[in-house]
Amino acid sequence: MRLPKRKAVRNGRKPSPRWWKWAKRILIGGLSLFLAAAIAVGVFLVVFTNGLEGRIAELPKLVAELRKEPTQILSADDPPVVLYTMATEHREPVSWPEIPKVVKDATICAEDTRFMNHSGVDGRAILRALWANLRAGSVKQGGSTITQQVAKRLLTSGERTWRRKLEDACLAVLIERKYTKEQILTIYLNQIFYGAGAYGIKAAAQEYFGKPLDKLTIAEAALLARCPRRPNDENPFVDPKAAQENRDDVLRIMREEGYITEDQFRQAVAEPIKLRPKPVQNSGFRYAPYFVTYVLEQMRREFPDEDFARGGYKIYTTLRVDAQASAERALRETIKRYRSRKVTEGALMVMDLQGRIIAMVGGLDFKRSQYNVITQGRRQPGSAFKPFVYSAALEMGTISPDSYVSNEPFVWKDPSTGRVWKPKGGGHGGSVSVMTAISRSINVPAVWVCSEVTPQAVVRFANDQFGFKSKLYPVLPIALGSSSVKPIEMAEAYSVFANQGSRATPFGIKRVVDNQGAVVREYSPVVATNILSASTSEAMDSFLRAVVTRGTGTAASDIANARGKTGTTNDFKDAWFCGYTDELVCVTWVSNATYDPKRTPPYRYGSMDGVFGGEVCARMFSAAMKPIQKLIGETDNGRKFRSFAGGSNDGKVAVLICEDSGERAIPGKCPHTKMEYLSKDEAAQLGRCSFHGAGEQPPDTNVPDNPPTDEAPPPDNGTPPPNSHVETAPVASVTVEICVETGMLASPYCPVKRVATFPKGKEPTSICTKHRT
């Protein structure tokens, strides 16, 4: 049997085994493939990275956006005080020199200990995170550097995909080539979200601790440094225990890395977490929230296409912070003092004689309800409406300042139903002077004057001369303030008396300035001049002074130069004092209002216990105005007011006579009239002028037995008093819940909401974009 021949030995060495030859071939092939793959990956990364160069060019613009200050609503003080910050994010930019070293050190230790050494991507950190995650069986750590986080938050979509992670890494390398470490860390600290609505380290220090950056302790800096990991779940407001554990982890790293000593570490770990009171989430309100919402609503109306939340604007207002504080304090103290008499809600507004609103308190508690009684509420003004009735009569010549008006019982019978109306208050016979009727707020003379002038003429006069926009009903109880109006309308109307016959329109914005410092819009006072004659203005000024010096409003007599009128409605549901001085107009109002969020408006109104405007509201006027007068420097002018005739005139009745027919004049139709004083029998026998009116009867007012009460402010389209037979065209409306800050439909995350009614088709349709989480 032949054995196979062995191959010859070459050069004295045995030939390699066959398996080794194959192993070498596989190894060489594998290395070739690996090298080819590495080259391909390298080429791919270079091409991929170069393709991202365009995004890096956008970074300066994005950084500039981070440095843009939020839109601010500012007071009229010198220097201005920030009333409200409006931005999509609560962010306050800060520069590198302003950031304390302890904040920089804590941030590096919390997020990227090798930040100062790597070039954008830290291989060691990635491997360490992979190993930790494998051991834990879940994702516990991340390997992203601070630079990668900047790239992710500013330049990529944030999607959790491998492509996005690759983009972050490549962009981080490019960022490191173009920016210094100081610039990158500054961008990060201005951009990152810390929870509680705070973006950037400066905003976070304010939100959590109410401190400027340079006042943060080591422990506080460490706590903030770890917040960006889980800002919504582990911030100290939401989970104090987790926040403290995270803080202590950062402090341990700071000690290990040599940033703090052992003693500093022990002190910091032992330091208790002292947070500021938890704010309303990203609300932006600092002062005067009712006034701020009034300004915001005006801005939305006038600039519907402008997104002020993007920041950069400054809205300068007319409000004075000290005056606002005085008004708020006066309302709080008044309600506290009279709460036992069921005074639970109130409102107060102060403006100067040019219409600049310097204080506005729309309710007792803005957090509970954002319903602004000053601008939204419609309430019966009661006797505070009488001055407009007397002004109309004076201007039309129905009465003169020295006139006596009837105080005989007033009885009006509806010819169609036989229903009888008898106003209360007065009606004891004879006549009283106009000054006495106004200063003592006697009801019956006001109704007699209204009947002579006619309710229709009173309504026209109130609309045209005094600026009322609310629906006023031409019925006889209008003389006693039966139609509901807004407090801001009362302030405008009383400005006519304060301005000697000129009417100032209330306004709250002085100017709007954009982020370049350019004035977008400027607002000036709007004053309608000489809408009342000088004689009527002088007379009414004296009458309203008499209210304060010897009438129903003496509780306001300690205010220099005060004039005004009290108002109290049926069943004590509303009480008012509308007053003014030589410099200011002030309207005060209180009620017994029970908050009911299911209602629109969200209040149920009941009766107070014997609360009169001259007692409660006049005192609130005094409490608010005294410090405000001191603030603006108003003192007693020493002027003597004219005193007009007074007395009962021997029990005779004042009757307006048509000089052409000798019969009772019809105001507005009889061109020549005079006031005569007749006995009761003579007045009863006197018919209406047949020469000009052909026996015209009083209008069919069909008023109820007593002036109507007002259970709640009517909707925007208005509702007539009970049984008034005043027809109004139905107006379709839609009631929705809106975000107070944006005016958009409220989302579940909006911190401050209110229910609002809009004409159909005018209601907001988009959900709030500011409050998302």
Side-chain angles (χ1 to χ4, degrees), residues 38 85 147 217 226 412 495 503 538 584 618 676:
T85 55
T147 315
T217 65
R226 187 51 68 86
W412 189 83
S495 76
R503 187 181 77 240
E538 180 189 7
L584 303 167
E676 291 188 1

Side-chain angles (χ1 to χ4, degrees), residues 61 73 161 187 231 289 355 404 419 426 447 488 533 541 582 616 632 665 725-726 750:
K61 179 181 177 181
I73 296 179
T161 63
I187 294 171
Y404 290 81
R419 188 164 184 165
V447 177
I488 195 170
S533 65
D541 197 43
D582 289 353
V616 176
I632 66 173
H725 285 187
V726 179
C750 294

Side-chain angles (χ1 to χ4, degrees), residues 43-112:
V43 171
F44 169 78
L45 289 175
V46 170
V47 173
F48 188 81
T49 302
N50 289 339
L52 297 174
E53 285 279 0
R55 294 196 196 178
I56 296 297
E58 299 175 9
L59 196 56
K61 179 181 177 181
L62 296 172
V63 171
E65 287 290 322
L66 295 180
R67 292 175 181 166
K68 185 189 293 183
E69 293 187 359
T71 291
Q72 296 178 329
I73 296 179
L74 302 162
S75 75
D77 299 282
D78 186 15
V81 175
V82 178
L83 306 177
Y84 174 80
T85 55
M86 175 170 45
T88 306
E89 303 165 347
H90 178 196
R91 189 191 305 276
E92 297 183 46
V94 60
S95 62
W96 176 259
E98 297 175 278
I99 305 171
K101 183 177 184 299
V102 66
V103 171
K104 300 169 186 174
D105 294 344
T107 300
I108 290 173
C109 289
E111 293 297 325
D112 188 358

